[in-house]
Amino acid sequence: MAGSGRRPEHRGPPELFYDEAEARKYSQNSRMIEIQSQMSERAVELLGLPEDRPCFLLDVGCGSGLSGDYISEEGHHWVGMDISSAMLDVAVEREVEGGLILADMGQGIPFRPGMFDGCVSISAVQWLCNADKKTHSPPKRLYRFFSTLYSALARGSRAVLQLYPENSEQLELITAQAMKAGFTGGMVVDYPNSAKAKKFFLCLFVGMAGALPKALGAACADVEESQQAKFTNERTRFRNAKGKSVKKSRDWVLEKKERRRRQGKEVRADTRYTGRKRRPRF
């Protein structure tokens, strides 16, 4: 499900605001189609697919099939899943070439292991951070999604998920659950200095630790490096599933200092060096 250059204002999941009329209007909006095509092209580029053969891809949150159109144009085959029946009805009317399935990604990816050569998702994964029902637990739904996605992807493949995070906490929650599920990779931020053009792409690797693709619009190598939040299977500064910071991380140190301040204790001022690991001396 695509978004505009800015983060969508809707807070609930797509099925709550996409009725049949809205779905059709959304899919016929020339500006939306242009943005969706651009993000789909970038997502497929980040997949790093082989050029000598067609691949079988999964489109999570496929909506009316706009991303699938680009995948088909590139000569690949695809299956799309979406929680909105109205959007899928529009995709059927548009006679998209991919297969379609009505499913909630928070309940898992309903495909057999190793089935796909890659996965793309445009503006969908951030919805899993919302608890729209009393029974919904964002960490559990995210882990269910990532763990089943990991299983459905072939070893050595990638998943590229474009998303609109509301804040850094959402980014940490999403990446922590992806790491817990077995993925390696990180966040690639295109045009990090632009309020409108800035885009977040979570690039995930299955069964390997590859180098992150280069971000677009980074002024220099140092800036680009800072905009790529890498992670591996090792413990990192991201919060764990219970929302607590990893011990000895920068966040953990800052939280501990803040607690001491509230207790009236004297604490040194925070600097850019706070929580940074010191190099060993020889």
Side-chain angles (χ1 to χ4, degrees):
M1 280 156 267
S4 62
R6 299 178 181 176
R7 177 169 50 81
E9 295 180 359
H10 303 290
R11 298 299 301 275
E15 76 273 19
L16 296 184
F17 56 83
Y18 281 134
D19 58 18
E20 184 177 352
E22 283 293 319
R24 186 169 288 102
K25 178 181 178 181
Y26 177 93
S27 303
Q28 295 174 348
N29 185 301
S30 59
R31 176 59 177 161
M32 289 295 184
I33 294 175
E34 179 184 0
I35 293 173
Q36 181 88 5
S37 298
Q38 291 173 354
M39 293 192 295
S40 300
E41 181 177 358
R42 177 60 171 154
V44 173
E45 176 188 354
L46 292 172
L47 281 178
L49 299 173
E51 299 180 358
D52 57 346
R53 64 178 177 85
C55 295
F56 189 38
L57 305 180
L58 174 64
D59 183 1
V60 176
C62 64
S64 61
L66 296 177
S67 296
D69 288 343
Y70 178 78
I71 294 173
S72 297
E73 290 173 4
E74 291 296 297
H76 302 298
H77 309 290
W78 61 279
V79 169
M81 56 180 289
D82 201 286
I83 196 173
S84 171
S85 58
M87 294 295 281
L88 293 178
D89 287 342
V90 175
V92 172
E93 291 179 8
R94 295 180 61 249
E95 298 182 346
V96 297
E97 296 183 17
L100 302 170
I101 181 172
L102 179 66
D104 176 5
M105 59 182 169
Q107 295 181 359
I109 304 299
F111 298 100
R112 67 175 182 266
M115 185 171 180
F116 297 101
D117 300 311
C119 171
V120 296
S121 178
I122 307 298
S123 310
V125 175
Q126 71 271 4
W127 299 117
L128 292 179
C129 294
N130 298 335
D132 300 295
K133 298 180 180 179
K134 291 183 178 180
T135 57
H136 283 181
S137 167
K140 290 182 179 180
R141 283 170 58 78
L142 280 164
Y143 178 72
R144 177 66 178 170
F145 166 67
F146 282 119
S147 60
T148 53
L149 176 61
Y150 188 94
S151 175
L153 292 172
R155 187 173 180 82
S157 62
R158 299 182 185 181
V160 177
L161 316 175
Q162 185 275 330
L163 61 151
Y164 287 103
E166 289 191 355
N167 47 50
S168 60
E169 286 74 19
Q170 281 195 359
L171 278 179
E172 292 179 352
L173 176 61
I174 291 170
T175 50
Q177 296 307 311
M179 178 183 65
K180 181 181 177 182
F183 284 106
T184 58
M187 193 72 67
V188 174
V189 185
D190 285 350
Y191 306 105
N193 299 317
S194 172
K196 291 185 177 181
K198 186 175 183 179
K199 293 291 184 296
F200 291 84
F201 292 89
L202 181 59
C203 298
L204 303 174
F205 306 130
V206 180
M208 63 176 186
L212 279 178
K214 294 182 178 180
L216 301 178
C220 62
D222 292 338
V223 174
E224 179 179 303
E225 182 71 17
S226 67
Q227 295 300 330
Q228 295 180 332
K230 299 180 181 179
F231 61 88
T232 65
N233 281 325
E234 299 175 357
R235 297 178 69 188
T236 69
R237 67 180 294 269
F238 296 126
R239 294 173 181 268
N240 60 26
K242 295 182 180 179
K244 297 181 180 180
S245 298
V246 176
K247 192 173 182 179
K248 302 296 185 181
S249 67
R250 176 179 170 81
D251 288 344
W252 181 85
V253 172
L254 291 173
E255 290 168 0
K256 185 175 181 180
K257 292 177 71 175
E258 184 61 28
R259 287 196 300 270
R260 289 181 176 271
R261 290 192 184 99
R262 290 197 296 266
Q263 294 170 0
K265 298 180 180 179
E266 185 177 348
V267 180
R268 290 185 180 181
D270 298 335
T271 70
R272 62 177 179 172
Y273 301 105
T274 300
R276 179 180 293 185
K277 293 184 177 180
R278 297 184 180 181
R279 295 180 179 179
R281 295 183 179 180
F282 295 96

